């Protein structure tokens, strides 16, 4: 999702063999009986369009994630902070030494600083969707809690990631929210939910031996059901070209309503993504809701392929971020395709303000808006 995929060139990547995630916290509030799992206690993962309290980000500082092109990235982040604060608060994980400059850049970008909070949470990288917690909410009381999954930097590709693994317990401390720990490797960008029991994911990612080689597909599904409160799991196949996360769903297909999915397509049959996305579209058309109905599927064309230093990037308009009253859509300095994507996404969210956000420099890190962010649901009874 994003992804949280860090953008190193292939030459900088370490082995993709499974690496055991570093975990310093011994507290595992849900590691005991199955009766203590979030789902058994009444929690579920809300849809992204449900009310949010804040968006969490992790401030960029790792030059290796944007090799040779890091300089514009903090400015890009500041502009994203500014865009989010139009709609809701932003909470930023950043080591103390990074905060003064980050605050200045956000102020220069006209962010509403009354809605920005910095937390002294050092990180290895900036991909909060994947190293941050996945929040859940109690169906009756409205209590918000966080689920803390193992994180191994997309199959051990980019060590070290020990600091990133400490972000969920750090957020637990500053928020006072209950934390449920699961030792299964799971990144937030690899899943998408509709808040009513359905979850989208990909075989390339969740069944990849560099994540959980000791777990079967059935065991992975059970973990998702127990910790995220989902009931129906829909599997797509391969991810888009250039995605170093091994097929994160938030670069391909996203729910936009309980029975609606917006999915990427590549009309150009000569393009590498054409067959991959056509096969996923064919699967989507076969999926059925629990009531036996077809999903409402909206096709979203890909931007024109491009890259840096002869490395292709996984640019995708599906990496949008839903916020309170709005949707932020990544754009890539392609006026025609960008405008068309915004138009299509606006049609999916007619009651929200859809805003394009320039992510041309950010995508060199192999991820954009959804990959860098994680939403914290608003507490209280659901509408």
């Amino acid at each position: 999702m994003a992804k949280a995929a860090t953008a190193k060139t292939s030459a900088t990547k370490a082995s993709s063999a499974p690496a055991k995630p570093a975990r310093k916290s011994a507290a595992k509030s849900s590691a005991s009986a199955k009766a203590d799992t979030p789902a058994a206690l009444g929690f579920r993962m809300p849809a992204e369009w449900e009310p949010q309290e804040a968006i969490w980000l992790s401030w960029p500082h790792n030059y290796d994630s944007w090799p040779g092109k890091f300089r514009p990235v903090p400015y890009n982040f500041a502009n994203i902070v500014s865009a989010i604060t139009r709609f809701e608060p932003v909470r930023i994980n950043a080591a103390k030494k990074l905060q003064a400059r980050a605050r200045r850049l956000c102020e220069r970008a006209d962010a509403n600083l009354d809605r920005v909070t910095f937390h002294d949470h050092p990180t290895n990288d900036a991909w909060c969707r994947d190293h941050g917690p996945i929040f859940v909410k109690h169906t009756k009381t409205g209590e918000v809690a966080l689920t803390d999954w193992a994180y191994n930097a997309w199959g051990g590709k980019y060590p070290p990631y020990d600091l990133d693994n400490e972000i969920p317990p750090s957020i637990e401390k500053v928020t006072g929210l209950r934390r449920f720990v699961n030792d299964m490797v799971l990144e937030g960008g690899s899943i998408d939910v509709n808040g009513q029991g359905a979850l989208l994911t990909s075989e390339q990612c969740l069944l990849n031996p560099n994540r959980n080689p000791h777990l079967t597909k059935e065991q992975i599904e059970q973990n998702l059901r127990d910790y995220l409160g989902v009931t129906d799991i829909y599997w797509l196949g391969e991810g888009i070209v250039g995605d170093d996360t091994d097929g994160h769903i938030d670069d391909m297909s996203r729910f936009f309503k309980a029975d609606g999915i917006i999915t990427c397509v590549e009309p150009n049959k000569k393009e590498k993504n054409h067959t991959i996305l056509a096969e996923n579209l064919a699967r989507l058309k076969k999926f059925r809701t629990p009531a036996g109905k077809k999903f409402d599927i909206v096709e979203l064309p890909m931007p024109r392929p491009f890259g840096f230093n002869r490395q292709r990037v996984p640019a995708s308009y599906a990496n949008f971020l839903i916020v309170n009253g709005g949707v932020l859509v990544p754009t890539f300095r392609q006026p025609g395709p960008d405008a068309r994507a915004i138009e299509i996404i606006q049609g999916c969210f007619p009651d929200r303000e859809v805003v394009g956000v320039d992510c041309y420099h950010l995508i060199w890190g192999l991820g954009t808006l959804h990959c860098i962010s994680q939403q914290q649901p608003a507490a209280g009874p659901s509408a």
Side-chain angles (χ1 to χ4, degrees):
M1 107 121 6
K3 74 180 121 216
T6 62
K8 282 91 171 173
T9 61
S10 57
T12 68
K13 292 185 178 181
S15 168
S16 61
K20 185 177 181 180
R23 280 191 174 284
K24 297 178 182 178
S25 174
K28 296 191 177 184
S29 54
S30 63
S32 53
K34 185 175 178 179
D36 293 334
T37 64
L41 294 172
F43 288 90
R44 65 171 179 95
M45 182 180 174
E48 196 167 311
W49 56 78
E50 295 184 49
Q52 300 174 3
E53 179 171 327
I55 293 291
W56 283 88
L57 304 174
S58 294
W59 194 260
H61 60 87
N62 188 339
Y63 282 61
D64 288 340
S65 291
W66 291 270
K69 300 181 185 297
F70 177 81
R71 186 174 181 178
V73 172
Y75 295 89
N76 202 166
F77 256 68
N79 287 332
I80 292 167
V81 172
S82 180
I84 297 172
T85 60
R86 289 186 50 213
F87 300 93
E88 64 184 271
V90 178
R91 296 171 178 171
I92 302 175
N93 303 304
K96 191 85 172 175
K97 63 182 180 181
L98 300 175
Q99 292 184 15
R101 181 170 184 261
R103 188 179 297 276
R104 287 196 301 272
L105 291 180
C106 290
E107 183 176 18
R108 197 176 304 171
D110 293 325
N112 181 350
L113 294 183
D114 291 337
R115 286 184 160 187
V116 178
T117 305
F118 286 91
H119 296 277
D120 186 13
H121 299 163
T123 66
N124 301 108
D125 221 323
W127 310 103
C128 194
R129 178 64 53 176
D130 293 345
H131 65 231
I134 298 175
F135 292 91
V136 292
K137 184 174 178 178
H138 199 277
T139 55
K140 293 182 179 178
T141 68
E143 175 192 354
V144 172
L146 54 90
T147 62
D148 178 2
W149 304 77
Y151 171 74
N152 70 354
W154 314 283
K157 294 185 180 75
Y158 306 121
Y161 40 85
D162 55 324
L163 297 177
D164 287 346
N165 246 312
E166 289 304 307
I167 292 302
S170 295
I171 290 177
E172 174 197 23
K173 291 177 183 177
V174 298
T175 61
L177 300 178
R178 195 179 342 183
R179 177 167 62 103
F180 298 96
V181 179
N182 190 313
D183 285 334
M184 186 179 96
V185 173
L186 180 73
E187 302 108 33
S190 68
I191 60 169
D192 199 62
V193 302
N194 71 352
Q196 296 186 23
L199 180 146
L200 270 174
T201 190
S202 76
E203 294 169 346
Q204 183 188 4
C205 185
L206 262 62
L207 303 185
N208 198 307
N210 65 14
R211 300 306 206 276
N212 298 287
H214 60 295
L215 298 179
T216 65
K217 180 179 180 180
E218 291 72 23
Q219 289 172 321
I220 290 171
E221 288 187 334
Q222 193 59 52
N223 273 292
L224 297 173
R225 292 187 175 101
D226 288 344
Y227 281 75
L228 301 180
V230 298
T231 53
D232 304 292
I233 299 171
Y234 300 90
W235 294 87
L236 295 185
E238 299 291 305
I240 64 173
V241 176
D243 178 9
D244 62 346
T245 68
D246 308 309
H248 270 192
I249 202 71
D250 65 359
D251 275 334
M252 298 186 292
S253 303
R254 304 278 304 280
F255 286 108
F256 67 92
K257 60 180 180 177
D259 62 348
I261 299 170
I262 186 168
T263 191
C264 292
V265 294
E266 176 50 72
N268 183 356
K269 294 182 179 181
K270 295 181 180 180
E271 223 297 293
K272 293 180 180 179
N273 277 321
H274 173 78
T275 300
I276 294 170
L277 296 176
E279 290 176 354
N280 283 333
L281 178 61
R283 289 200 193 195
L284 289 169
K285 290 181 177 179
K286 293 179 181 179
F287 292 158
R288 295 295 182 269
T289 69
K293 296 181 179 180
K294 294 181 179 180
F295 283 92
D296 180 8
I297 298 172
V298 174
E299 298 181 13
L300 180 67
M302 295 286 284
R304 292 189 297 272
F306 69 101
F308 301 88
N309 298 350
R310 297 183 179 180
Q311 180 181 341
R312 180 163 172 169
V313 294
S316 170
Y317 297 118
N319 210 245
F320 57 81
L321 173 65
I322 306 172
V323 292
N324 291 335
V327 183
L328 306 184
V329 179
T331 59
F332 305 103
R333 301 184 181 178
Q334 299 182 15
D338 290 350
R340 179 61 179 150
I342 291 172
E343 179 185 12
I344 292 170
I345 294 171
Q346 182 69 77
C348 292
F349 298 97
D351 298 329
R352 294 175 184 263
E353 181 182 356
V354 177
V355 180
V357 179
D358 181 21
C359 291
Y360 179 79
H361 292 293
L362 189 61
I363 190 55
W364 176 225
L366 309 187
T368 61
L369 300 176
H370 204 249
C371 300
I372 64 171
S373 60
Q374 182 60 263
Q375 69 277 359
Q376 178 178 336
S382 299

